[in-house]
Amino acid sequence: MRFSPLLEQLIETLRCLPGVGPKTAQRMALQLLTRGRDNGKRLAKSLIEAMENIGHCQQCRIFSETDICEICTSKHRDSGLLCIVENPIDVSVIEQTSSFRGKYFVLLGHLSPLDGIGPEEIGIAQLKKHFERGDIHEVILATNPTVEGEATAHYISEMAKQHSIKVTRIARGVSIGSELEYIDPNTLAHAFAGRETI
Amino acid sequence: MRFSPLLEQLIETLRCLPGVGPKTAQRMALQLLTRGRDNGKRLAKSLIEAMENIGHCQQCRIFSETDICEICTSKHRDSGLLCIVENPIDVSVIEQTSSFRGKYFVLLGHLSPLDGIGPEEIGIAQLKKHFERGDIHEVILATNPTVEGEATAHYISEMAKQHSIKVTRIARGVSIGSELEYIDPNTLAHAFAGRETI
C-alpha cells in the first residue's frame, strides 16, 4: 500500500501529461489535495470543455472551437500570403514575432513515409484547394529545418509551382546572439549560401 | 490572438499544477488535444473524483477516501509504535523502505508561529488523544531535520514524556553514498554526536 486507491489513480492519470514522471505526478496530486482543490476542479472542467469542443479550423486546420478560426476570419490579414507550418504551436510562435500578417495552413505533421504519414495525412488535398482558389500570391514554407520538414517543404513547393505560385522558404542561418564557434557546419553552410548584400 | 479562447483557458488552468509554467502548460494542452483526448477526459474524471472524495483518515490524518485508512485498519501493524511525520508524502517514502511496521500520525505541517501555525493547526489535540489511549510504547519523531521540524519534534517529545511514553528521533547523519568532503558541518556534527559502537 502507498496511497489510497483514488489518489493512486489520480497520480497514474496525471502521468499522461508530457514530461510528468511518477515523482512529479505524486507532487502534483498531493499539492492539489492539500491546497488546490478548487483549482483541481477548475482544471477538470476546463479539460472536459477543451477535449470535447476544440476541433480544427476548416480552413487552416489550427485548433479552434469555431468552424473558422479568428485568424482566417480576420479582415486585416493578407489572404494572398500563406504560411505553411507543421504544428499549431508554430503559429503561436510566429504570431509572437508580429512580423507576419498573412494567413496560415497547419499540416499537423510532416511527410514521413516510414511512419505511414503520406500527403493525405497532412492535408495536402485541402491545401491544393487553397492553391486552386487562385488568389494566393506567395506561399511561405515554415516547416521545421529537419530532414522530414525539408522533404515536406520540397513536396509542397513542387505543388505550388504547378499552380504558378511564388514559393519561399524561411531563412536558415545563424541564430541571433549565438557564437560561430558553436554552430553546426550544416547551419553555417546554409548561412553562407543564403548571405545577403548589405 | 494566440490560441482559441477554450485552449487559452486550458493552458491557464494547467498552470495551477506545481512546476508548470506557461511553456509547459502550452505543450501539455497541445499534446492532449493532438493525441490524448481520451487521456484528457480520464484525467478530468479522476481529478473530480479525487478532489470531491478524498478526505483525511480520522485516526492518522493521511489522505484517504475512507474514514479510517488502510494502514490504521491493518492488523499486521504494531499500534503501540507511532511514527509522526509532517506530510502525507513522508508516509509513502517511509513505506518504501519496508523498515517500519508501526502506525503513523500526519501533522499536515509543522509549528511555525510566524506563519500563524500553532499546535491546533497540526492536530496536536488529536495526537494527545492517541497518547491518552495508553497503548503506545514508543513515538518515533520523523519530522524534517529543519528548524521548524526540530521545534515541532521538541514540542511533541515534551508532550509524550508527560504521558511517560518513550520518544525517539530518527538519526541525523551522513547519507549513504555521500562523501564527507561535501557534507555540511551541522550534519557532520550530528553524525559524530550520534556515532554507534561497532
Side-chain angles (χ1 to χ4, degrees), chain B residues 62-188:
Chain B
I62 201 178
F63 286 123
S64 172
E65 56 264 27
T66 48
D67 286 348
I68 309 291
C69 75
E70 262 185 68
I71 294 180
C72 286
T73 48
S74 169
K75 293 207 170 85
H76 304 290
R77 306 183 73 114
D78 182 358
S79 301
L81 191 58
L82 191 70
C83 176
I84 298 178
V85 296
E86 294 185 25
N87 303 305
I89 201 160
D90 302 335
V91 173
S92 143
V93 174
I94 296 171
E95 285 296 289
Q96 279 172 41
T97 68
S98 307
S99 63
F100 178 71
R101 300 303 298 166
K103 302 206 169 174
Y104 293 94
F105 186 83
V106 184
L107 300 168
L108 297 174
H110 49 232
L111 289 177
S112 179
L114 289 178
D115 301 316
I117 303 173
E120 264 181 49
E121 282 73 24
I122 59 169
I124 293 296
Q126 198 178 339
L127 183 58
K128 204 172 174 190
K129 279 189 197 144
H130 283 296
F131 289 174
E132 284 164 355
R133 233 170 46 215
D135 63 346
I136 294 174
H137 57 79
E138 180 178 347
V139 163
I140 302 177
L141 295 166
T143 53
N144 291 329
T146 57
V147 174
E148 294 87 352
E150 298 291 355
T152 309
H154 177 75
Y155 184 94
I156 296 171
S157 71
E158 291 298 310
M159 196 171 82
K161 281 176 196 160
Q162 282 171 15
H163 291 82
S164 315
I165 299 170
K166 176 184 170 189
V167 190
T168 56
R169 177 88 173 104
I170 50 166
R172 283 144 299 179
V174 297
S175 300
I176 305 301
S178 61
E179 295 177 40
L180 287 200
E181 184 179 350
Y182 301 109
I183 292 162
D184 66 291
N186 211 341
T187 301
L188 207 51

Side-chain angles (χ1 to χ4, degrees), chain B residues 4-26:
Chain B
S4 71
L6 275 184
L7 185 46
E8 283 287 349
Q9 182 193 304
L10 177 59
I11 293 170
E12 190 50 44
T13 47
L14 276 166
R15 294 192 52 194
C16 74
L17 297 170
V20 175
K23 286 267 170 195
T24 312
Q26 219 176 60

Side-chain angles (χ1 to χ4, degrees), chain A residues 54 63-65 70, chain B residues 1-9:
Chain A
I54 297 180
F63 286 123
S64 171
E65 56 264 28
E70 263 186 68
Chain B
M1 180 270 168
R2 291 179 53 210
F3 292 112
S4 71
L6 275 184
L7 185 46
E8 283 287 349
Q9 182 193 304

Side-chain angles (χ1 to χ4, degrees), chain A residues 73-93:
Chain A
T73 48
S74 169
K75 292 208 169 85
H76 303 291
R77 306 184 74 113
D78 182 358
S79 302
L81 192 57
L82 192 70
C83 176
I84 297 179
V85 296
E86 293 185 26
N87 303 304
I89 201 160
D90 302 335
V91 173
S92 143
V93 174

Side-chain angles (χ1 to χ4, degrees), chain A residues 1-6 9-10 13 26 30 37 44 46 48-49 51 54 63 65 70 89 92 96, chain B residues 1-6 9-10 13 26 30 37 44 46 48-49 51 54 63 65 70 89 92 96:
Chain A
M1 179 272 167
R2 291 178 54 209
F3 292 111
S4 72
L6 274 184
Q9 181 193 303
L10 177 58
T13 46
Q26 220 177 61
L30 291 170
R37 297 209 183 206
S46 131
I48 289 173
E49 280 178 6
M51 298 301 127
I54 297 180
F63 286 123
E65 56 264 28
E70 263 186 68
I89 201 160
S92 143
Q96 278 171 43
Chain B
M1 180 270 168
R2 291 179 53 210
F3 292 112
S4 71
L6 275 184
Q9 182 193 304
L10 177 59
T13 47
Q26 219 176 60
L30 290 170
R37 297 209 182 206
S46 132
I48 289 174
E49 280 178 6
M51 297 302 127
I54 297 180
F63 286 123
E65 56 264 27
E70 262 185 68
I89 201 160
S92 143
Q96 279 172 41

Side-chain angles (χ1 to χ4, degrees), chain A residues 168-188:
Chain A
T168 55
R169 177 87 173 106
I170 49 166
R172 284 146 298 180
V174 297
S175 301
I176 305 302
S178 60
E179 294 177 40
L180 288 200
E181 186 178 349
Y182 301 108
I183 291 163
D184 66 291
N186 212 339
T187 301
L188 208 51

Side-chain angles (χ1 to χ4, degrees), chain A residues 56-62 67-68 72 82 104-108 119-133 136 159:
Chain A
H56 293 280
C57 168
Q58 290 176 7
Q59 272 185 28
C60 73
R61 314 220 305 169
I62 202 177
D67 285 348
I68 310 291
C72 286
L82 192 70
Y104 293 94
F105 186 84
V106 184
L107 300 169
L108 298 174
E120 264 181 49
E121 282 73 23
I122 60 168
I124 293 297
Q126 198 179 338
L127 182 59
K128 203 171 175 190
K129 276 186 198 146
H130 282 297
F131 289 174
E132 284 164 354
R133 233 171 45 216
I136 294 174
M159 196 171 83

